[in-house]
Amino acid sequence: MKMNLNKDGKKRIHFIIRELDKTQNEVNKISASVQIDEDDQYQRINRAYFQLFQTHYLSFKLLMKEDHFSSAVVVARTMLEIYVRCFYLEFIEQPKGTDVETLITQPKDFASFFQMSTALDNFEDPDNGDFHKHFKQFTKQGKALYEKYSTFTHGRGELLNVLFKGKQPVCAYEDIESILLTLNGMLQVFAMQFLHMNANEALKKRLLDRMLKTEETFLNHGIGQPDYYSNLTSW
C-alpha cells in the first residue's frame, strides 16, 4: 500500500520523520544512562519491552521512508501490543506479585488487549492518580487504533477487499501524519515510564524538555500533535 502524497505532502512527512529521528536519538542517549536493578524482574522486563519497542520503532520509520505504509502499520500494531503489555505488567500484575518469568516462559495466557487496556484505565495510583482513560483510545470504545492497525494484518476487511477487486490501495496524508505522531508520542510516554521505574528525575526532565521541543516544532509548522500523552507526563 502506497502513500498518496504530492510533493508538499512528501516534504512534510520527511520533515516529521527527521524530527522523530531526533527524538529517538535523544531517547536512546537518555535510556542508555539508566541503571536498573538486575535483581528486580519487573525492571528487567520493562527494559526488555522498551528495547523491543525501540527496535520496532526504527523498522517502522525505515518502512515509512521507503513508502511501505501497510508494512509499517503491521509493525505499529506490534508496538502497540508491547506498549500496553508493559504498562499492564508494571501497574496491574506487579502489585499482585505475579512472577514475570512464569508469564513469559510458561503457557499462561496474558489478558486480551481489551482487558489489559480496560484494567489500566481503571487503575488509580494513590500519589499520581489515574491514566485519564489514556488506553481507551486504542480500543473500540475510543479511537479504535488497535482495530484500525489490525486491518493490515488480518486476512479480511477493507484493505483486502480493495486488493481483491484488483485495485491499488493508497493512504491519505492525514492518516500518515496521524500514525507518525501517534508512534512518536508512544515512544516518549514509554521512555517516561521507563525512567519513572528508575526514579531518575534529572533524566526525566531532560526527556520532558525534548518532548516539549518536539511539540513546539510541530505546532510551529502547522503539524497537529495528538493530545493523548500530555496528561501522562507527571508519571
Side-chain angles (χ1 to χ4, degrees), residues 78-123:
T78 297
M79 294 169 66
L80 182 53
E81 291 174 332
I82 292 171
Y83 178 83
V84 171
R85 183 167 292 189
C86 186
F87 274 85
Y88 179 80
L89 280 178
E90 170 66 14
F91 294 99
I92 306 302
E93 292 294 343
Q94 185 175 17
K96 300 177 185 177
T98 304
D99 181 66
V100 171
E101 190 169 352
T102 300
L103 282 176
I104 64 176
T105 62
Q106 302 300 320
K108 178 181 178 180
D109 292 331
F110 274 84
S112 69
F113 183 87
F114 175 76
Q115 290 170 332
M116 289 190 291
S117 299
T118 301
L120 286 165
D121 277 333
N122 291 333
F123 171 83

Side-chain angles (χ1 to χ4, degrees), residues 25-26 29-30 33 195 201-211:
N25 289 338
E26 185 68 11
K29 292 176 184 177
I30 293 172
S33 303
L195 297 182
E201 296 302 322
L203 291 179
K204 285 171 67 176
K205 184 181 184 304
R206 180 175 161 187
L207 176 60
L208 182 57
D209 288 344
R210 175 68 245 181
M211 291 167 65

Side-chain angles (χ1 to χ4, degrees), residues 161-169:
N161 189 43
V162 172
L163 293 170
F164 179 70
K165 293 178 179 178
K167 300 179 181 179
Q168 178 61 47

Side-chain angles (χ1 to χ4, degrees), residues 145-162:
L145 295 184
Y146 185 75
E147 184 179 25
K148 291 176 182 176
Y149 295 170
S150 296
T151 301
F152 295 84
T153 63
H154 294 168
R156 57 184 300 178
E158 183 178 352
L159 176 62
L160 185 65
N161 189 43
V162 172

